[in-house]
């Protein structure tokens, strides 16, 4: 019964932290877009990230919410959120990152199946 309750909980703070990470990746991509790193760009992007840092207020809850990612539906919710939130100019890089995330999700799913098989064997 407690297991069911956990899977119905929100991952909103976890989404906020992921969103901040997306913001950071996007800022780095914009800084490096022309192949040069200029002080003005770093300052501008750094200030922009500072303004978005309120997304990190829920880090303690996000750390707890990561446990909910054993639920494939919650993991898919987070993957879908990331794919919607993450946007960089280089579409090829964006697509690569999204594909890598999907592959990682599949790897986690396969790993969980292996753990479950070991538990059944031990029982």
């Amino acid at each position: 019964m407690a297991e069911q309750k956990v899977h119905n909980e929100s991952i909103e703070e976890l989404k906020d932290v992921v969103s901040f990470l997306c913001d950071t990746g996007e800022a780095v991509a914009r800084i490096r877009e022309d192949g040069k790193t200029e002080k003005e760009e770093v300052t501008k992007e750094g200030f922009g990230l500072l303004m978005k840092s309120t997304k990190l207020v829920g880090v303690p809850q996000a750390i707890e919410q990561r446990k909910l990612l054993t639920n494939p539906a919650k993991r898919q919710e987070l993957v879908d959120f990331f794919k919607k939130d993450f946007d960089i100019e280089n579409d090829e890089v964006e697509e690569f990152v999204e594909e890598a995330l999907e592959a990682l999700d599949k790897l986690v799913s396969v790993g969980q199946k292996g753990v479950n098989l070991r538990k059944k064997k031990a029982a």
Side-chain angles (χ1 to χ4, degrees), residues 4 20-21 24-25 29 31 54 64 69 72 77 87 90 96 104 107 114-115 118:
Q4 181 66 15
F20 185 81
L21 294 174
T24 302
I31 289 169
T54 57
E64 281 300 307
L69 298 180
E77 180 182 342
D87 183 35
N90 188 326
F96 172 79
L104 180 61
L107 196 61
V115 168
R118 286 181 150 229

Side-chain angles (χ1 to χ4, degrees), residues 15-60:
K15 286 180 181 178
D16 284 345
V17 171
V18 167
S19 182
F20 185 81
L21 294 174
C22 288
D23 294 339
T24 302
E26 292 163 4
V28 169
R30 284 189 297 271
I31 289 169
R32 297 294 301 151
E33 188 173 43
D34 61 2
K36 298 181 274 183
T37 303
E38 297 174 358
K39 180 181 173 184
E40 297 79 23
E41 286 178 309
V42 172
T43 301
K44 177 185 171 194
E45 295 295 342
F47 182 74
L49 287 173
L50 183 62
M51 297 303 293
K52 296 176 181 180
S53 66
T54 57
K55 293 178 179 180
L56 298 177
V57 170
V59 166

Side-chain angles (χ1 to χ4, degrees), residues 39-101:
K39 180 181 173 184
E40 297 79 23
E41 286 178 309
V42 172
T43 301
K44 177 185 171 194
E45 295 295 342
F47 182 74
L49 287 173
L50 183 62
M51 297 303 293
K52 296 176 181 180
S53 66
T54 57
K55 293 178 179 180
L56 298 177
V57 170
V59 166
Q61 294 93 333
I63 291 170
E64 281 300 307
Q65 290 171 358
R66 82 189 190 305
K67 296 175 185 173
L68 297 171
L69 298 180
T70 58
N71 177 335
K74 290 294 182 187
R75 230 178 21 255
Q76 188 61 51
E77 180 182 342
L78 190 61
V79 168
D80 291 344
F81 173 80
F82 174 86
K83 288 171 67 174
K84 182 179 176 190
D85 197 54
F86 186 63
D87 183 35
I88 58 174
E89 291 290 319
N90 188 326
D91 290 337
E92 290 179 38
V93 173
E94 182 176 340
E95 185 178 327
F96 172 79
V97 170
E98 290 174 359
E99 287 178 15
L101 183 61

